[in-house]
Amino acid sequence: MLTKRLIACFDIIAGRVTKAVQFQDNIDVAAADELAQTMYEAQIDELIFYDITASSEKRPVDIETVKKVARCVFIPFTVGGGIKELDDMYEALKAGAEKISIDSMAVRNPQIISDGAKAFGSQCIVLSTQVKRTPSMPSGYEVYIDGARLATGLDALEWIKKGQELGAGEICINSIDNDGMLSGYDLELMKLAESSLSVPLIASGGAGKPEHLKALFEKTEAQAAIISSMLYSPRMESNYAVSEIKEYLIENGICMRPTRV
């Protein structure tokens, strides 16, 4: 049985972690390196770092903040935002990232997926995609880009299948409808996605309590889950500790890497 992974996702603005609901109204949380240190000490399994304004500001990813975060963590560390070409990937990897996440640029230039996979290996390339329920799409879901502001007309399932074929080693799917709502993952979306994939699937958008993770891992084949709001959202009445979440999941038969005392 594969060990399931819990991932903290940092939405970075000017070197600081923020939290939003459905990609709007970002609230400041903490300096990225300070929160990274806290999450690492709490024994989170992985960390994903998105420079969420890099693309709209037409600049590369914030390499200095990547370096600061990388110095604080010794777990798999994925970086995305402002990745437009192989040189950007190389700079992020050189700064301490282990994996590269591509999103909007992959839609605009799908060749970047295969170029990255050939240069650095498929295990290094994570295709992240933001999707929204759209009844007119064959799957019922449409891909959005540019911080979930721009509809692409792409069917979500067709896009992730293409991303896998081009060489992405992992697929991260975020439900725009559920993002930050704390009401649980879109399990229908994740079941549809897993039926189209042979690479690991990361679920994102909606976790508000440990029961949501239990449902995800019991009812779908997702290998990992992003749980940012549960860990450090100012909108939560009280946040969960990583150990608390893992203990609950292990007690309920989910295969997790336990926290060390």
Side-chain angles (χ1 to χ4, degrees):
M1 185 181 296
L2 290 176
T3 301
K4 304 297 185 179
R5 295 171 283 144
L6 301 183
I7 303 175
C9 180
F10 288 5
D11 289 341
I12 302 292
I13 297 177
R16 297 185 64 83
V17 178
T18 66
K19 278 303 300 170
V21 173
Q22 296 180 322
F23 291 79
Q24 297 179 354
D25 303 322
N26 288 70
I27 295 176
D28 182 79
V29 176
D33 54 340
E34 293 176 4
L35 189 57
Q37 182 73 43
T38 299
M39 289 293 100
Y40 175 67
E41 291 174 355
Q43 300 178 56
I44 195 73
D45 296 314
E46 294 192 22
L47 176 63
I48 294 180
F49 172 120
Y50 292 131
D51 185 337
I52 61 173
T53 59
S55 294
S56 62
E57 294 173 359
K58 295 181 170 54
R59 59 170 174 78
V61 66
D62 181 352
I63 288 295
E64 290 308 310
T65 302
V66 172
K67 290 178 180 177
K68 288 180 181 179
V69 169
R71 285 195 286 266
C72 298
V73 299
F74 301 93
I75 52 176
F77 175 34
T78 301
V79 169
I83 305 291
K84 296 183 174 64
E85 54 190 13
L86 286 182
D87 284 348
D88 296 327
M89 295 184 185
Y90 176 72
E91 289 300 320
L93 293 169
K94 190 170 68 172
E98 291 187 3
K99 293 185 277 188
I100 300 297
S101 174
I102 44 179
D103 187 340
S104 301
M105 183 51 61
V107 171
R108 293 190 167 98
N109 175 26
Q111 184 66 33
I112 195 174
I113 301 173
S114 52
D115 288 348
K118 288 174 185 175
F120 307 111
S122 290
Q123 81 288 341
C124 185
I125 305 300
V126 180
L127 177 61
S128 180
T129 186
Q130 322 303 323
V131 308
K132 189 172 187 178
R133 286 184 180 270
T134 308
S136 60
M137 291 285 112
S139 69
Y141 294 89
E142 183 175 6
V143 175
Y144 278 64
I145 59 173
D146 295 344
R149 294 186 297 274
L150 179 63
T152 65
L154 286 173
D155 180 76
L157 291 195
E158 289 303 312
W159 172 236
I160 62 172
K161 284 193 287 187
K162 182 175 181 179
Q164 176 179 261
E165 290 167 2
L166 288 169
E170 282 187 289
I171 306 290
C172 179
I173 300 183
N174 186 48
S175 166
I176 296 170
D177 302 292
N178 291 36
D179 184 78
M181 301 302 289
L182 309 177
S183 57
Y185 296 95
D186 187 335
L187 299 183
E188 180 184 350
L189 170 61
M190 298 309 157
K191 288 177 182 177
L192 285 171
E194 73 186 29
S195 69
S196 301
L197 298 173
S198 58
V199 299
L201 171 65
I202 302 169
S204 180
K209 55 186 179 180
E211 289 83 354
H212 295 152
L213 287 153
K214 177 176 179 284
L216 173 74
F217 290 137
E218 285 184 341
K219 296 179 181 179
T220 80
E221 295 179 9
Q223 284 85 4
I226 288 176
I227 56 170
S228 305
S229 293
M230 293 176 67
L231 299 175
Y232 42 77
S233 173
R235 294 182 172 91
M236 294 277 290
E237 289 185 12
S238 62
N239 295 123
Y240 290 91
V242 174
S243 59
E244 180 182 4
I245 299 168
K246 286 191 173 185
E247 285 167 11
Y248 170 85
L249 292 172
I250 290 169
E251 287 172 0
N252 281 275
I254 308 299
C255 185
M256 305 292 303
R257 182 170 65 89
T259 52
R260 302 178 305 277
V261 178

